[in-house]
Amino acid sequence: MEYCEVRGVRVPKVGLGTWRMEGEECYDAVSTALELGYRHVDTAQMYDNETEVGRALADADVDRRDVFLTTKVNPRNADREGVVESTKASLDRLDTPYVDLLLLHWPNPLVRIEETMDAMKRLVDEGRVHHVGVSNFPVPMLKKAREVSDVPVLTNQVQFHPHRPQRKLLRYCQAEDLLLTGYSPLAQGELVDDGTLREIGERYDKTPAQVALRWATQHRNVAVVPKSTSREHLADNLAIFDFKLTREEVDEVTRPSLLKTGASMVKGMLR
């Protein structure tokens, strides 16, 4: 496993995303991932699966301190009391005294970001949260969150894949030593049969999905949280650090597309 190190924090470059996983399927996927060597797990209040994630963590033969665990505050809970109380409830469901990273899942225009970040600081001071961040924030809103926060903002979790390379945000994160966490790195499955990725993958005996994940993780300050429930695909998603794309291949893979990004966003409207 390779790691990103930003602001002195080490985060595994590949984690497990659990969006749209429920019940035993979620428990089994997290359990299998931990068995295979995953040490980064991403969940959220909106996913309604924190209990299953927590149960899998508790049952795994892995020290809790070795797992980087992220959950996200439902934007409906973005006010001061909502952040604190909903996070305490998340910790109860996850059966853990702390999360490594707490994010605001989406901006809430009805709540001042100062109030949200102040509540997150309280949770950090109490030891319930180690690091804080945001999700789905454009650069101006990310800058504002950082300006008003009394604790460092570690990451912005956004959709990130070859059709949506987030160039402006990526440049900002790299310049400011922030982590960009990429969700839907396979564009909701749109890239698993991509011809360009397949052609490049044949050079390295890799699948199109592995090429897409390698493309993402070769960027400085980027980690990804692909979702998978299949043992084979979970293993494949980790097996991406034994090859490296050339500069020309990276450019070939990078194909910004509003149309294809829009299609994947429609699939992930509730992400």
Side-chain angles (χ1 to χ4, degrees):
M1 174 65 71
E2 290 191 4
Y3 289 78
C4 288
E5 184 160 342
V6 295
R7 299 176 176 269
V9 183
R10 295 178 80 240
V11 182
K13 284 191 175 184
V14 176
L16 176 66
T18 61
W19 176 53
R20 287 184 174 170
M21 289 187 192
E22 298 179 348
E24 290 307 302
E25 178 187 59
C26 180
Y27 172 84
D28 291 342
V30 176
S31 298
T32 301
L34 293 170
E35 178 188 334
L36 290 171
Y38 283 75
R39 294 298 180 264
H40 179 181
V41 178
D42 180 273
T43 183
Q45 294 172 1
M46 291 174 68
Y47 299 170
D48 198 26
N49 62 15
E50 289 173 318
T51 298
E52 287 73 26
V53 170
R55 188 158 55 91
L57 283 168
D59 290 348
D61 188 22
V62 178
D63 195 308
R64 168 68 186 88
R65 293 171 297 180
D66 294 333
V67 179
F68 191 89
L69 178 62
T70 299
T71 196
K72 310 180 198 72
V73 173
N74 187 321
R76 293 180 179 178
N77 299 324
D79 62 283
R80 184 174 286 102
E81 182 178 0
V83 170
V84 172
E85 294 307 315
S86 72
T87 300
K88 289 179 180 179
S90 287
L91 295 176
D92 287 342
R93 289 188 292 269
L94 288 162
D95 192 23
T96 182
Y98 69 94
V99 288
D100 297 87
L101 178 61
L102 181 69
L103 308 179
L104 177 61
H105 206 147
W106 287 90
N108 183 334
L110 302 180
V111 178
R112 294 170 66 247
I113 190 63
E114 291 89 339
E115 184 174 345
T116 303
M117 302 314 295
D118 185 62
M120 287 187 169
K121 179 184 183 298
R122 173 180 163 185
L123 290 165
V124 171
D125 290 344
E126 293 175 351
R128 302 177 194 271
V129 170
H130 287 178
H131 307 285
V132 305
V134 295
S135 183
N136 300 299
F137 272 45
V139 171
M141 295 186 72
L142 174 59
K143 289 181 178 179
K144 176 67 173 177
R146 294 183 66 214
E147 287 170 2
V148 303
S149 178
D150 289 329
V151 291
V153 172
L154 180 68
T155 191
N156 187 11
Q157 185 177 126
V158 295
Q159 186 178 172
F160 183 75
H161 51 72
H163 296 320
R164 188 164 174 76
Q166 297 277 8
R167 285 169 169 158
K168 181 180 179 181
L169 175 62
L170 179 60
R171 284 195 298 268
Y172 177 78
C173 288
Q174 291 173 337
E176 297 294 323
D177 196 27
L178 304 178
L179 181 68
L180 188 157
T181 306
Y183 70 75
S184 300
L186 303 179
Q188 303 292 333
E190 296 289 327
L191 295 172
V192 298
D193 293 316
D194 182 88
T196 298
L197 299 182
R198 185 174 301 282
E199 180 183 340
I200 293 173
E202 288 172 354
R203 303 170 194 167
Y204 300 99
D205 194 26
K206 296 294 181 179
T207 67
Q210 288 174 311
V211 173
L213 295 177
R214 192 66 184 111
W215 171 89
T217 56
Q218 275 187 214
H219 289 88
R220 181 166 54 88
N221 288 36
V222 171
V224 291
V225 286
K227 172 204 169 186
S228 181
T229 57
S230 154
R231 173 179 283 271
E232 178 183 0
H233 291 159
L234 285 166
D236 284 349
N237 290 350
L238 280 187
I240 62 169
F241 298 111
D242 57 351
F243 76 108
K244 187 172 183 178
L245 301 175
T246 66
R247 179 71 261 176
E248 292 74 23
E249 288 168 339
V250 169
D251 291 342
E252 190 178 354
V253 169
T254 309
R255 290 159 292 154
S257 170
L258 290 175
L259 180 63
K260 292 180 179 179
T261 294
S264 66
M265 288 184 72
V266 168
K267 287 186 178 181
M269 285 300 288
L270 298 179
R271 180 60 170 80

